[in-house]
């Protein structure tokens, strides 16, 4: 479960304070699929970064899998992310110096998995995203939709308990966006992962079981 309690995030300068998240209270049960919608700049990415331990917050509490994020040091939080969290970005952040298969294997290497087992697991998930014929391709030879499917495979290859997808279809045309989302949703359901999606695409948002709107720093169910 992920539980945000009275979560507050602001940025202060010498002249003013900009409030990004204002008293957010949110409870996400394990296995849920949750969308958080809002305009660009509404704080969706900040909220995801905080919930996944990538960014500090000003006050409140964030509990994930029973652990209070603010009580974990950087080493413990990194270890938790490695074993429990998959993250998919709008800009895929693939490593161009590595091939498709090498990018997908990377999280498994970090976990210490045997190279042969990591290779087999990576091939299997690349088959699921219809990229088994691109294993040795350089990233710069892939289309935008293909690159995002590699990013999805990389995030899901270790079957993490929590999947954060931050505008994963934001740079794709409508057809590719719906295709990528469909693949992602299917794999998440099979893994019984908790799926959190930040998007400004309301058609995709409506395909999730719980829907929230983040506006002016405040959250409401829709």
């Amino acid at each position: 479960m992920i539980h945000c309690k009275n979560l507050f995030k602001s940025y202060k300068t010498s002249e003013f304070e900009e409030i990004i998240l204002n008293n957010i209270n949110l409870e996400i049960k394990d296995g849920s699929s949750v969308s958080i919608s809002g305009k660009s700049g509404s704080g969706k990415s900040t909220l995801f970064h905080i919930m996944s331990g990538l960014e500090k917050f000003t006050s409140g509490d964030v509990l994930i899998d029973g652990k209070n994020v603010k009580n974990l040091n950087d080493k413990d939080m990194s270890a938790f992310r490695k074993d429990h969290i998959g993250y998919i970005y709008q800009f895929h952040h693939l490593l161009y110096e590595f091939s498709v298969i090498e990018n997908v294997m990377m999280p498994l290497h970090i976990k210490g998995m045997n190279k042969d087992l990591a290779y087999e697991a990576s091939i299997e998930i690349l088959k699921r995203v219809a990229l088994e014929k691109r294993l040795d391709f350089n990233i710069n030879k892939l289309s935008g939709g293909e690159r995002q499917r590699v990013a999805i495979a990389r995030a899901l290859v270790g079957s993490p308990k929590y999947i954060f997808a931050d505008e994963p279809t934001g740079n794709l045309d409508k057809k590719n966006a719906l295709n990528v989302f469909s693949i992602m949703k299917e794999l998440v359901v099979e893994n019984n992962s908790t799926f959190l999606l930040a998007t400004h695409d309301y058609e995709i948002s409506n395909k999730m079981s719980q829907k929230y709107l983040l506006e002016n720093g405040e959250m409401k169910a829709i």
Side-chain angles (χ1 to χ4, degrees):
M1 177 184 287
I2 300 175
H3 195 178
C4 299
K5 300 179 181 179
N6 304 317
L7 177 63
F8 185 86
K9 171 72 176 184
S10 67
Y11 294 105
K12 288 184 178 181
T13 69
S14 58
E15 298 179 355
F16 67 92
E17 179 180 21
E18 181 181 5
I19 297 174
I20 308 300
L21 301 173
N22 188 13
N23 197 39
I24 300 294
N25 287 280
L26 181 64
E27 188 173 296
I28 300 171
K29 295 181 179 180
D30 289 345
S32 300
S33 65
V34 177
S35 73
I36 297 177
S37 304
K39 296 179 181 178
S40 179
S42 62
K44 301 187 302 295
S45 293
T46 299
L47 179 60
F48 272 28
H49 288 170
I50 288 172
M51 288 195 291
S52 60
L54 291 170
E55 186 172 335
K56 303 295 184 183
F57 47 98
T58 306
S59 63
D61 293 282
V62 177
L63 290 86
I64 179 167
D65 221 27
K67 300 178 183 296
N68 196 324
V69 169
K70 71 181 181 183
N71 294 335
L72 298 178
N73 59 35
D74 289 342
K75 181 180 179 181
D76 289 341
M77 192 65 235
S78 294
F80 182 84
R81 280 198 303 269
K82 178 186 69 175
D83 293 331
H84 296 87
I85 292 175
Y87 209 110
I88 305 166
Y89 298 88
Q90 178 177 355
F91 303 101
H92 47 75
H93 294 303
L94 297 172
L95 302 172
Y96 280 78
E97 62 269 33
F98 296 102
S99 67
V100 167
I101 187 73
E102 288 169 337
N103 267 275
V104 176
M105 289 173 66
M106 197 66 66
L108 302 181
H109 283 322
I110 293 171
K111 286 185 176 184
M113 182 181 287
N114 171 275
K115 183 177 180 180
D116 291 339
L117 292 176
Y119 187 81
E120 291 173 9
S122 298
I123 287 177
E124 285 304 310
I125 198 162
L126 283 166
K127 286 179 180 177
R128 297 302 310 280
V129 298
L131 288 173
E132 66 272 21
K133 295 182 179 180
R134 300 285 193 269
L135 300 183
D136 298 317
F137 274 47
N138 291 328
I139 300 302
N140 59 10
K141 292 184 178 179
L142 303 178
S143 68
E146 288 173 332
R147 292 177 190 181
Q148 199 62 314
R149 280 185 277 154
V150 175
I152 290 167
R154 181 182 60 182
L156 297 178
V157 69
S159 300
K161 185 173 182 178
Y162 301 99
I163 301 295
F164 291 86
D166 188 0
E167 297 280 10
T169 61
N171 291 324
L172 303 177
D173 59 62
K174 177 60 71 174
K175 181 179 179 180
N176 265 315
L178 291 172
N179 180 47
V180 164
F181 173 79
S182 178
I183 291 169
M184 184 167 49
K185 183 76 181 295
E186 182 180 334
L187 290 170
V188 166
V189 169
E190 286 182 12
N191 288 339
N192 196 32
S193 300
T194 302
F195 184 24
L196 296 96
L197 173 73
T199 183
H200 60 263
D201 187 325
Y202 288 99
E203 182 177 354
I204 287 177
S205 173
N206 285 332
K207 297 179 183 294
M208 305 291 275
S209 59
Q210 292 176 246
K211 299 176 285 292
Y212 296 91
L213 175 66
L214 185 57
E215 190 173 41
N216 300 321
E218 299 181 351
M219 183 87 75
K220 65 178 180 180
I222 54 176

